[in-house]
Amino acid sequence: MSKVYNFSAGPAMLPVEVMKKCQEEFLNYNGLGVSIIEMSHRSKDYMEVANQAVADLRDLLKLPDNYKVLFMHGGGRGMFANIAMNLAQPNGCADYLVGGAWAGYAAAEGKKYTNVNEIKIDSVNDKNLVTINTKNLPLNKDAQYVHVCLNETIHGIEIFDDINTNNVPLIADASSNILSRPLDVTKYGIVYAGAQKNIGPSGFAIAIVREDLIGHALPFCPSVYDFKVTYEHDSMFNTPNTFAWYLSGLVFKWIKDFGGLEAMEARNKEKADYLYGFIDSCDFYSNNVDKSCRSRMNVPFFLKNSDLNQEFLDKAKEAGLCNLKGHRVLGGMRASIYNAMPIEGVKALVEFMDKFAKEHK
Ligand SMILES: *Cc1c(COP(=O)(O)O)cnc(C)c1O
């Protein structure tokens, strides 16, 4: 197989070591003669896999005992509904900080269950760059929760600042930057993520929930989405996605072997700095996000001459650089460089971009 670097925004590339391990043991897990996806989730062998995955995730994020790890169904958007169904109160309200597409989608889902206050946090500064403000927000003191998206996958905006919500639980969608850097979860009531960007297969979601936020689901909340039911059954009220759980566990182990979240952050910073550094140095390309909130995971960029977009994509593909087309909301290009992308992939992309720019001067 020729070498390809996959810049897909999601489902995204996974570490090659993880994929190889999964392949090696797929038909015959641990000498049992059956696949990991063919065994009972309650069997001793599977329980070991399941418990180890939770323990490794807890360890990576240094979770205190009062934060519970729940594995949920329905991916990121499933969690948009789950958050509201588990935290909203009849006639209550919630604040949604909106600074990009995903935060807006979360707010729209929240509206089905509660009164949503949308608070705009993005704006364009005098240099025509997108900036984010998370200070002195007009928060509602009666809100049941405040929702924020920590990394806007489409717009390439990441929030690095702490947000003060005056003790109203802050709920973070970290679907596209979870485990990319250390995160102090104690600043949040819940941190959740769809798995398919930095963790594992799609359709699966991880919710790290502070204990006191468990047990408030609205009466109509389906049992499989109720945090309390999920917690009381160790995320096995119904049959979980055993394969996704297993594969996520391999990824957690990979991150630990890599040196944990500090080491991962250093690698991600190096990749992002390299790519943005090149984009800023070359007038052929541009990125329109202020340095203070540029995403380390998703790098949207534009060619000065958008007539060259298709040729850029075709030539990139020939060079083994795949899935660089930007989201239809923004156009242009987007390179997603999650944990699994090696620095070599980013260097290959920059080398290609440089060559393409010189050929089209
Ligand atoms: C991808 C993504 C989602 C949606 O995930 P699905 O699993 O497709 O529902 C939600 N939020 C963010 C920030 C995302 O990047």
Side-chain angles (χ1 to χ4, degrees):
M1 194 179 81
S2 64
K3 198 171 172 84
V4 156
Y5 289 113
N6 174 11
F7 294 91
S8 170
M13 73 170 287
L14 289 170
V16 66
E17 296 85 351
V18 166
M19 299 296 271
K20 280 202 174 128
K21 173 130 175 84
C22 171
Q23 185 180 41
E24 265 163 34
E25 61 190 20
F26 190 67
L27 287 180
N28 184 357
Y29 182 76
N30 209 11
L32 295 170
V34 297
S35 174
I36 191 82
I37 64 168
E38 298 175 308
M39 59 175 85
S40 165
H41 53 300
R42 309 212 185 271
S43 66
K44 182 176 150 288
D45 292 277
Y46 189 82
M47 286 303 290
E48 268 172 30
V49 170
N51 291 336
Q52 191 62 48
V54 174
D56 286 341
L57 179 62
R58 297 196 70 92
D59 199 32
L60 280 171
L61 283 165
K62 302 189 169 71
L63 295 184
D65 289 344
N66 64 328
Y67 281 77
K68 308 302 178 191
V69 169
L70 308 181
F71 290 150
M72 309 289 298
H73 305 282
R77 282 190 188 259
M79 285 303 302
F80 292 172
N82 295 345
I83 290 297
M85 288 192 295
N86 279 278
L87 301 182
Q89 295 302 312
N91 307 316
C93 65
D95 289 338
Y96 279 74
L97 312 186
V98 178
W102 285 110
Y105 302 150
E109 189 69 21
K111 281 177 195 163
K112 293 186 175 179
Y113 306 100
T114 191
N115 295 304
V116 164
N117 273 319
E118 280 187 47
I119 300 173
K120 186 172 154 61
I121 57 169
D122 63 320
S123 54
V124 175
N125 70 12
D126 51 8
K127 296 196 188 83
N128 233 1
L129 298 173
V130 176
T131 60
I132 290 287
N133 169 48
T134 54
K135 301 271 178 289
N136 302 318
L137 298 171
L139 296 173
N140 191 328
K141 66 176 183 353
D142 302 320
Q144 262 78 49
Y145 61 95
V146 179
H147 182 277
V148 65
C149 176
L150 292 183
N151 186 68
E152 285 289 353
T153 320
I154 297 173
H155 290 83
I157 299 167
E158 187 165 359
I159 295 179
F160 296 97
D161 296 333
D162 291 340
I163 301 171
N164 181 359
T165 57
N166 297 317
N167 295 324
V168 175
L170 179 60
I171 313 302
D173 176 1
S175 292
S176 50
N177 69 346
I178 192 164
L179 304 181
S180 68
R181 54 181 162 103
L183 185 72
D184 181 358
V185 294
T186 64
K187 301 214 160 89
Y188 302 89
I190 298 175
V191 175
Y192 70 88
Q196 71 274 26
K197 279 67 184 242
N198 243 350
I199 295 177
S202 56
F204 189 59
I206 291 179
I208 296 157
V209 183
R210 204 176 64 206
E211 211 165 29
D212 60 290
L213 299 177
I214 296 175
H216 309 286
L218 290 164
F220 57 77
C221 178
S223 305
V224 291
Y225 296 136
D226 185 327
F227 291 155
K228 183 156 184 272
V229 175
T230 306
Y231 171 61
E232 286 174 347
H233 292 82
D234 294 323
S235 305
M236 291 191 183
F237 169 66
N238 71 327
T239 314
N241 184 334
T242 55
F243 180 72
W245 192 326
Y246 151 80
L247 201 74
S248 302
L250 292 185
V251 172
F252 302 151
K253 174 104 192 1
W254 178 81
I255 299 173
K256 282 182 83 173
D257 290 346
F258 189 81
L261 297 184
E262 283 82 8
M264 203 43 85
E265 177 174 43
R267 166 179 160 117
N268 288 328
K269 212 168 162 303
E270 184 189 2
K271 288 184 294 182
D273 287 349
Y274 195 85
L275 183 50
Y276 285 116
F278 171 74
I279 292 169
D280 290 343
S281 75
C282 177
D283 356 314
F284 195 83
Y285 303 101
S286 65
N287 165 276
N288 66 348
V289 180
D290 187 71
K291 281 188 176 150
S292 60
C293 53
R294 279 176 165 177
S295 168
R296 291 185 192 147
M297 298 284 101
N298 311 96
V299 181
F301 63 92
F302 303 91
L303 276 63
K304 276 274 145 71
N305 176 1
S306 61
D307 293 344
L308 293 172
N309 282 357
Q310 195 53 49
E311 187 184 342
F312 179 93
L313 289 167
D314 293 343
K315 293 255 166 71
K317 197 165 174 208
E318 277 169 32
L321 306 166
C322 304
N323 297 316
L324 285 163
K325 191 173 175 163
H327 191 277
R328 59 184 187 281
V329 167
L330 276 193
M333 307 296 153
R334 171 175 52 171
S336 293
I337 50 174
Y338 298 113
N339 284 353
M341 177 61 69
I343 181 80
E344 291 76 21
V346 174
K347 288 191 169 158
L349 173 61
V350 165
E351 196 184 316
F352 168 79
M353 288 168 70
D354 189 33
K355 186 159 158 273
F356 188 87
K358 285 180 177 138
E359 283 167 7
H360 294 83
K361 271 255 147 62

